[in-house]
Amino acid sequence: MDWLTFLKDVIATQQFLQVFVGGCTMMLIGWMVTRARGDREHLPPPAPASIADVPPPFLHGPREAVDLMREIRDYARRQAEDTSRIAECVRVIREEARRHTEILGLIEREQAIENRAHHERDRP
């Protein structure tokens, strides 16, 4: 029964548990590293470059190339349309900002006139 008390005291301080877990972890890491090195040595050599490594658009015939060119032209047309829409939105926003600035200027002028009139009435 003394060994159970000893085991309880060792586990209570957890030094034994820490050493045990650390040792198991180191052994597991060592096993994984040696396993990975062994797997790497048994891999087949890389295959030489072949026709399969060429990008797909260059493997197509003239018909597919024409279709790709049409698709690119369609994307360019859509981009031009989108750019013109964005330019129109920017123009409208700029005009609205000018209008709001003019309105704010009129409001400030009106407030300045009102403040002057109010201060002149308050003077004795």
Side-chain angles (χ1 to χ4, degrees), residues 31-93:
W31 177 77
M32 289 171 59
V33 168
T34 56
R35 177 73 189 251
R37 284 187 185 153
D39 289 346
R40 185 182 62 197
E41 291 170 0
H42 295 292
L43 288 175
S50 65
I51 192 72
D53 295 331
V54 177
F58 297 108
L59 293 176
H60 296 303
R63 181 175 176 194
E64 287 81 5
V66 169
D67 289 343
L68 285 173
M69 294 302 290
R70 284 185 184 143
E71 191 174 343
I72 291 171
R73 192 176 336 130
D74 187 42
Y75 285 142
R77 182 184 52 79
R78 284 189 216 162
Q79 181 182 5
E81 290 172 1
D82 292 343
T83 304
S84 65
R85 286 186 194 133
I86 291 170
E88 179 66 21
C89 290
V90 168
R91 187 186 61 76
V92 168
I93 289 171

Side-chain angles (χ1 to χ4, degrees), residues 13 18 20-21 50 52-53 56 61 65 78-80 83 85 92 95 102-103 110-112 121:
T13 59
Q18 291 174 358
F20 178 74
V21 170
S50 65
D53 295 331
R78 284 189 216 162
Q79 181 182 5
T83 304
R85 286 186 194 133
V92 168
E95 287 177 5
E102 290 172 3
I103 291 171
E110 187 93 15
Q111 287 177 342
R121 272 186 286 164

Side-chain angles (χ1 to χ4, degrees), residues 14-29:
Q14 292 189 2
Q15 292 173 354
F16 174 75
L17 186 60
Q18 291 174 358
V19 169
F20 178 74
V21 170
C24 290
T25 304
M26 291 300 293
M27 288 175 54
L28 180 66
I29 290 172

